[in-house]
Amino acid sequence: MPRLHKIKPLFEALLVPGLLLLFLGLPAPGLAQLPPDEAWRTLETEHFRVTYPHGLMDLAQRVGERAETAWDLLSRELPGPPKGKVDIALSDHADVSNGFARVHPSNRIYIYAPPPVDGFDLAHMDEWMELVVLHELVHIFHQDYPGKVGGIVRKVFGRYPLEWPFFPAAAAPDWTVEGIAVYFESSLTRAGRVRGSYHEMAVRTAVLEDRFESIDQASGDSPVWPGGQRYYIYGSLFLQHLTEVHGEEALARFVQAVAGQWVPYRLDAAAREAFGISFSRAWEEWHGALRIRYEALRDSLAGWAPLTRGEALDQGGYYSWNPAPSPDGGLLAYARVDGRSDPQIRVLPPEGGEGEKLTRTNSLSNLSWTPSGEVLFSQVDYLDSYRLRGDLFLARRDGGVVRVTRGGRLDHPHVEPGGRRAVAVQEEGGTNRLVLVDLPGGDIHPLTPFDPSTHWSYPRWSPDGRWIAAARWRPGAYFDVVLLDAQGTVRQQITRDRAVDTSPAWSADGRWLLWASDRSRIPNLYAVEVDPDSGEPGPLRQITNVLGGVAFPAVDPQGRWLYFSSYHAEGWRIERIPFRPGEWLDPSPLHPGYLADVDPTRYDRRVDAPQGPYRAARTLRPTYWSPAFREGDAAGGVEVLKPGFGLETAGWDLVERHRFALSGTFSSGFGTFNGGGSYTFSGLGNPLLSAAVTQFHEADPRALGGVTQAGDTVPLYLVERERAASLGATFQRRRARTLTAFSLAGSLIREDRTLLEEDLTETRRFNLLDPDTRLLEGRASLSFANARIFPFSIGREDGVNLYLRARVRREVSLADSLRSLDGKDRSYRDLVGQASAFKGFRGPGFGNHVLAVRGSWGVASGPGADSYHFEVGGSSGQGLPVSVGSLGQSLLFPVRGYDTAERFGRYGWSATAEYRFPLGMLNRGPGLLPLHLGWLSGAVFLDGGNAWGPAATTHGHPNPARDALLSVGGEVTLRVLALWFSSLDLRLGLARPLVDGDGLQAYLRLGPAF
């Protein structure tokens, strides 16, 4: 349980909100917080409250119906339906497809409205709302199930945000959590990812290319492909295998077995109880069965037709997508995400090679060449701190970028042959439509209507500008290629089945229409010959015969080469084969799973439920409490203030319009209560408004003995009580690549000093001359961050983090005659700043090498700025959450190899230069024990710093400048996944002081040095 050694003033959170945002790093696109300033409304069904913004009522009614249907289905499949109502937040603030669930502080589901229509993974769906609601509700049913252990501790403490023992069913690797959800999203619908081809493609390719992950690797969080998708891919197919052997009811037994463990994290024991076999053994048996199956499939495909082996053109990576030959055929552009740098658009010669970056992007982009040789591409960016929108941009050959639209919500652009306009897909309200976009003006003209039962992707002009080929989704997992005329009317349906047919493309002469399809359950390329006048398609032809998967075909202008993205065990890469229609094949049969008809009218159902304004109080109330502890304070060897015991809690409403935190401890003797509360209001969007009140007591570490009365020496102890009330406002500017924050805060502080006698009661015999002080404090801070962290990063790269804070404190209870006197007036002014810069570069190892520099400085003035105002020295980073000696704290002026306050004064600075380098990708763990070792990295550093002043004082001692501290050293960092949910960077270092040092110093820290 969390332990509070000392209750610190909660208003300290208002001192540096900009610094806190800076250390949190940049937001990931698609994970933006819901806009708290929306006009939210709520409809209520038997088991759910669906909260939605104005304009999404129809979609919210659909969500309510899908949720109640899912509840009925899951109540028969999983144990113990959750108590109380589940809150669902439906939002259209981000142009990405997403959903996630939380079981604390209450059961909550968040759904992003835009449908997933741009790939093979989620695209095999009967309906997006059905799939995402069911998937996330599985998480609620699964993780909320308390078992005996969770039932007991939650009755006492509530819904504390910790897996075991509060939510013991979730105390398992993520592949079990996501695997169960993906399994049921598929078994309880007619589609889903288990029924689709993407997950099987990933596992099949891993087996055949000897990259199949062991169970300990699949339980970790390695950036090695398939990255975070491994939990969904391996988990769903492994559990599918187990249910085929042991029955679907075994999944419910497994949930009960995990939740029922009094000794947690024994997954093999739970598996034996539920499935009759340990996961470790079953995983090996599954791997063996897959190898037999896929080797037989490889032989079968090779016997049917020659296997397609493309010529690799790039180095491969996470994603190398959307190859597009230039109009003259002299270059090939494509979108790339490699896990070691920004998403980007690259260009390379058509025969392949190193190529070069054309421009970096905010997301994996869809792109198209203009006749003049520019590249039109899509990317997302924030319009404000909450709304993430897709827009179109033009990249010139020199890498310069021109914005075409703003807030257009556009994707999948393709430039018409004349270059005057582009066809694109526009998002809104949980669906999309085809539009025409003027170039370069950006005016948008609808081509098709918004229809909740029709989603579009990858429209492509024919070379003569007469036709537009596009992929169209309709309910029932009908994801087909259709042909529209230039006015947006569908003239021909090229395919009609439940396979995912996507990313159409034309041959240079307009004779052939090509696309990618998983109709055989292996994504291959297909084509038909198209009549130029009627658009009538000819017989279906199969172009490729692959073992992995292919997508995004593109034919060069000369008609010699066919380019495409090819899937391999390390991800996607660009390949090409000769464009030879005469060698294409009769298609393999349609997979039986894609033959079944689905009644699309079932997806017209809506719930008729009461609606009204959103009420935050329903989800704002506290749902847990946690014990808090305050250590006692000693002076002169006497424990003046006794230890305190109490509780803390926190909460936030569904849309995070309100946040609060409360904590307090009570102790015997003097200084009974310590604690306070804080509150943040985000309903304006910008700024965030904060308030806090605190009270805490502290004993002066020195005993004030020597007071003589009636011949006796009376020991006295000084105790100070600080009460503070604070108000603050933080203005944010969030963009895909940057985060800027400006904060203003003010506090009213009252300090009361009390003398205690030997029996630790308040003295009545002696008085202090100045028993209380009242101070006003104002603060302003500014932060900026654009440093990035990529999947293979060992720390921040390629950017800067900046922070500046100014503070003024004035004592308002002081007599004018004492103003500005040292030792009497506690007023001061200070200014602190911190800047760090990072530059990554390629080198040996799994990730980039990084040169990092950091500088911090501070200056203080005024009678209250004493010689201990700033402290220099110590190792930065976070202390370990266990008692392993004195591990220090996060520091503004660190200098490794020295004690925390080796130098002190009114003026201070520290600086660091560091070279960081990867050592090895471990990606292993001790079987199914809850520990995974990710990677090792190293660093060498040079630290320096100093503090001094004032040179002379009326009260106290002079503190002139001494020699600056200087140290050198090295560190080794180990990335660890602990208990399957907490990624930690454990840093072991050695530092040698070069000035005033005590020899080699060792330290152990969590997190990066900066």
Side-chain angles (χ1 to χ4, degrees):
M1 303 296 290
R3 192 164 79 112
L4 275 179
H5 293 290
K6 284 197 177 182
I7 296 234
K8 299 213 183 233
L10 291 177
F11 73 86
E12 287 183 4
L14 296 177
L15 292 177
V16 288
L19 183 61
L20 294 177
L21 289 170
L22 182 148
F23 283 127
L24 286 175
L26 295 177
L31 301 180
Q33 178 193 330
L34 300 185
D37 55 343
E38 285 273 13
W40 295 98
R41 294 184 61 79
T42 300
L43 65 83
E44 194 162 349
T45 69
E46 181 182 359
H47 299 104
F48 299 90
R49 287 188 296 260
V50 182
T51 296
Y52 60 95
H54 176 75
L56 288 189
M57 183 182 71
D58 179 76
L59 193 61
Q61 291 174 324
R62 293 172 182 259
V63 167
E65 194 280 333
R66 308 305 184 264
E68 289 294 345
T69 299
W71 183 282
D72 292 340
L73 293 171
L74 292 174
S75 295
R76 298 192 289 267
E77 301 289 343
L78 289 172
K83 297 179 181 180
K85 294 200 173 185
V86 177
D87 283 282
I88 300 178
L90 172 67
S91 182
D92 196 25
H93 71 291
D95 289 346
V96 293
S97 305
N98 201 4
F100 54 95
R102 292 174 176 165
V103 292
H104 48 72
S106 61
N107 286 323
R108 303 175 179 189
I109 293 174
Y110 296 84
I111 297 173
Y112 294 4
V117 292
D118 56 356
F120 286 105
D121 185 12
L122 285 167
H124 185 57
M125 59 180 179
D126 288 333
E127 186 206 47
W128 170 231
M129 289 302 143
E130 178 189 64
L131 184 145
V132 69
V133 168
L134 180 55
H135 180 100
E136 302 306 335
L137 189 58
V138 172
H139 287 323
I140 300 296
F141 269 70
H142 174 194
Q143 297 180 72
D144 185 74
Y145 182 69
K148 291 183 180 179
V149 177
I152 294 172
V153 296
R154 272 157 54 180
K155 283 181 180 179
V156 177
F157 298 103
R159 305 178 70 88
Y160 186 77
L162 189 66
E163 290 181 346
W164 196 88
F166 296 90
F167 299 93
D174 273 353
W175 64 259
T176 66
V177 175
E178 296 300 345
I180 290 173
V182 173
Y183 173 82
F184 280 116
E185 96 186 16
S186 307
S187 68
L188 298 180
T189 71
R190 303 291 294 276
R193 282 169 277 190
V194 172
R195 298 180 187 270
S197 65
Y198 187 87
H199 285 194
E200 185 178 0
M201 175 186 73
V203 169
R204 180 179 64 249
T205 307
V207 169
L208 293 177
E209 296 184 7
D210 293 324
R211 291 282 296 275
F212 186 83
E213 294 196 335
S214 61
I215 196 168
D216 61 303
Q217 291 174 321
S219 302
D221 65 345
S222 168
V224 173
W225 181 267
Q229 295 184 67
R230 65 170 41 86
Y231 310 128
Y232 302 82
I233 294 170
Y234 283 91
S236 63
L237 295 188
F238 179 53
L239 294 177
Q240 166 78 6
H241 163 75
L242 288 175
T243 58
E244 289 175 351
V245 176
H246 304 281
E248 187 174 277
E249 64 278 4
L251 281 181
R253 293 198 301 267
F254 172 70
V255 172
Q256 291 173 311
V258 173
Q261 289 184 336
W262 291 93
V263 179
Y265 304 112
R266 296 181 298 115
L267 264 293
D268 275 339
R272 281 190 290 267
E273 183 177 340
F275 298 100
I277 186 173
S278 71
F279 277 156
S280 300
R281 179 181 171 188
W283 192 278
E284 293 303 317
E285 293 182 356
W286 178 51
H287 183 199
L290 289 175
R291 181 168 293 281
I292 293 172
R293 180 198 308 175
Y294 293 138
E295 287 178 349
L297 176 64
R298 178 185 59 197
D299 296 341
S300 173
L301 290 176
W304 175 69
L307 293 174
T308 302
R309 303 189 186 280
E311 176 188 355
L313 302 182
D314 77 326
Q315 298 176 352
Y318 271 31
Y319 296 97
S320 291
W321 271 14
N322 302 312
S326 61
D328 61 4
L331 289 172
L332 185 72
Y334 66 100
R336 178 181 170 94
V337 174
D338 62 5
R340 295 178 60 165
S341 57
D342 290 303
Q344 56 192 258
I345 295 174
R346 296 187 67 83
V347 293
L348 75 168
E351 65 275 9
E354 178 61 27
E356 61 182 12
K357 180 177 71 175
L358 177 64
T359 183
R360 71 175 183 177
T361 56
N362 300 334
S363 52
L364 190 63
S365 295
N366 294 297
L367 56 96
S368 173
W369 289 90
T370 69
S372 61
E374 297 176 316
V375 174
L376 180 69
F377 68 96
S378 59
Q379 66 176 353
V380 295
D381 202 351
Y382 286 90
L383 293 185
D384 57 30
S385 292
Y386 306 100
R387 293 163 180 87
L388 188 68
R389 298 303 190 211
D391 276 301
L392 302 186
F393 300 78
L394 277 170
R396 301 189 302 265
R397 187 64 189 89
D398 61 4
V401 173
V402 177
R403 178 186 281 270
V404 177
T405 64
R406 181 175 296 276
R409 310 197 65 178
L410 300 170
D411 200 357
H412 303 280
H414 192 256
V415 181
E416 72 170 353
R420 296 181 297 107
R421 56 185 182 172
V423 63
V425 174
Q426 184 179 44
E427 303 278 356
E428 186 174 304
T431 187
N432 59 33
R433 66 180 178 183
L434 296 178
V435 296
L436 297 176
V437 182
D438 293 337
L439 299 177
D443 292 336
I444 300 171
H445 310 281
L447 195 59
T448 63
F450 286 119
D451 181 351
S453 63
T454 303
H455 309 324
W456 299 93
S457 64
Y458 298 109
R460 295 294 183 263
W461 290 98
S462 62
D464 60 4
R466 184 171 182 175
W467 303 104
I468 299 174
R472 181 185 67 182
W473 173 93
R474 284 191 165 179
Y478 293 102
F479 206 139
D480 297 302
V481 174
V482 299
L483 211 59
L484 304 92
D485 59 27
Q487 288 71 47
T489 302
V490 175
R491 297 298 184 182
Q492 298 289 343
Q493 181 155 330
I494 306 300
T495 64
R496 170 66 179 176
D497 52 50
R498 301 183 72 241
V500 176
D501 302 324
T502 187
S503 59
W506 295 89
S507 61
D509 58 7
R511 177 183 171 188
W512 291 95
L513 177 61
L514 304 80
W515 67 93
S517 175
D518 64 353
R519 67 190 311 273
S520 69
R521 205 167 166 82
I522 297 178
N524 273 291
L525 301 183
Y526 296 83
V528 293
E529 195 170 10
V530 175
D531 183 276
D533 296 322
S534 66
E536 184 76 24
L540 180 65
R541 308 297 292 164
Q542 183 170 338
I543 302 173
T544 60
N545 180 33
V546 298
L547 290 171
V550 291
F552 308 110
V555 183
D556 77 332
Q558 289 75 35
R560 295 176 299 175
W561 294 101
L562 171 58
Y563 301 93
F564 51 85
S565 296
S566 178
Y567 183 83
H568 294 271
E570 77 280 0
W572 296 84
R573 64 188 183 209
I574 303 298
E575 295 180 356
R576 72 175 183 178
I577 58 175
F579 182 73
R580 296 171 181 168
E583 298 179 4
W584 295 347
L585 309 166
D586 292 331
S588 55
L590 182 69
H591 190 274
Y594 297 152
L595 287 171
D597 272 338
V598 175
D599 179 12
T601 60
R602 62 180 283 198
Y603 300 105
D604 293 331
R605 294 199 294 261
R606 300 167 175 80
V607 69
D608 184 12
Q611 303 174 38
Y614 168 69
R615 287 185 284 179
R618 288 174 164 178
T619 52
L620 185 61
R621 64 179 181 83
T623 60
Y624 74 90
W625 68 274
S626 169
F629 172 66
R630 182 188 190 275
E631 292 180 344
D633 270 5
V638 175
E639 190 176 54
V640 178
L641 298 179
K642 303 299 183 181
F645 300 88
L647 58 88
E648 61 182 4
T649 188
W652 59 92
D653 69 302
L654 181 67
V655 302
E656 299 186 47
R657 186 175 288 171
H658 309 273
R659 278 183 171 270
F660 73 90
L662 299 170
S663 64
T665 63
F666 296 85
S667 57
S668 60
F670 192 82
T672 302
F673 174 77
N674 292 270
S678 64
Y679 168 75
T680 300
F681 176 67
S682 306
L684 301 178
N686 228 358
L688 281 65
L689 304 178
S690 302
V693 292
T694 61
Q695 173 177 291
F696 72 98
H697 296 78
E698 190 169 23
D700 192 298
R702 299 160 295 179
L704 302 180
V707 179
T708 303
Q709 188 179 56
D712 293 329
T713 300
V714 180
L716 296 175
Y717 306 97
L718 178 66
V719 174
E720 182 178 271
R721 178 184 66 186
E722 179 179 290
R723 292 175 171 176
S726 302
L727 295 174
T730 298
F731 299 82
Q732 300 181 68
R733 184 184 185 275
R734 187 193 306 260
R735 294 297 181 263
R737 301 175 188 170
T738 64
L739 179 60
T740 306
F742 174 68
S743 298
L744 292 171
S747 299
L748 174 62
I749 304 167
R750 176 167 178 150
E751 296 175 346
D752 300 304
R753 286 168 290 281
T754 303
L755 288 176
L756 304 185
E757 296 209 23
E758 187 175 10
D759 61 357
L760 301 182
T761 60
E762 185 174 353
T763 183
R764 297 183 180 277
R765 294 182 290 170
F766 305 100
N767 295 313
L768 292 169
L769 295 178
D770 51 349
D772 61 81
T773 303
R774 293 186 298 277
L775 304 107
L776 286 176
E777 182 173 289
R779 302 170 298 280
S781 64
L782 177 66
S783 64
F784 172 84
N786 71 352
R788 275 93 76 201
I789 297 180
F790 309 117
F792 285 96
S793 292
I794 58 175
R796 290 184 175 90
E797 299 183 28
D798 295 338
V800 300
N801 288 355
L802 308 173
Y803 173 70
L804 183 67
R805 187 205 68 196
R807 177 170 58 175
V808 176
R809 175 176 283 198
R810 180 177 177 83
E811 186 173 349
V812 296
S813 57
L814 192 68
D816 291 342
S817 60
L818 301 178
R819 184 71 61 193
S820 300
L821 292 181
D822 289 344
K824 297 295 183 181
D825 189 350
R826 301 183 61 188
S827 303
Y828 65 78
R829 299 170 298 278
D830 67 9
L831 185 68
V832 298
Q834 178 180 298
S836 52
F838 312 88
K839 179 58 182 177
F841 57 94
R842 295 297 173 105
F846 63 85
N848 291 335
H849 297 227
V850 178
L851 290 176
V853 294
R854 168 187 170 176
S856 302
W857 55 269
V859 57
S861 62
D866 59 23
S867 56
Y868 296 96
H869 198 88
F870 298 122
E871 296 177 343
V872 173
S875 302
S876 57
Q878 300 294 321
L880 289 177
V882 292
S883 296
V884 192
S886 177
L887 296 171
Q889 58 185 352
S890 296
L891 303 171
L892 183 61
F893 302 108
V895 181
R896 285 165 279 195
Y898 296 93
D899 291 336
T900 302
E902 188 74 22
R903 295 283 191 269
F904 42 84
R906 283 186 174 185
Y907 314 101
W909 65 269
S910 72
T912 294
E914 193 164 285
Y915 169 51
R916 303 169 179 173
F917 47 91
L919 290 174
M921 180 63 66
L922 304 178
N923 190 23
R924 297 312 299 252
L928 273 179
L929 293 177
L931 178 69
H932 179 266
L933 306 181
W935 45 255
L936 276 173
S937 69
V940 293
F941 62 83
L942 174 66
D943 282 359
N946 204 359
W948 66 95
T953 60
T954 304
H955 301 275
H957 63 276
N959 186 29
R962 292 175 284 171
D963 292 338
L965 304 177
L966 192 65
S967 67
V968 296
E971 296 178 341
V972 174
T973 299
L974 173 64
R975 168 66 58 86
V976 175
L977 178 66
L979 303 180
W980 289 316
F981 72 89
S982 181
S983 287
L984 308 172
D985 287 349
L986 187 62
R987 203 171 90 245
L988 175 64
L990 292 173
R992 176 174 292 280
L994 302 179
V995 176
D996 294 348
D998 295 327
L1000 199 64
Q1001 302 291 316
Y1003 53 90
L1004 187 63
R1005 309 294 292 152
L1006 280 178
F1010 58 94

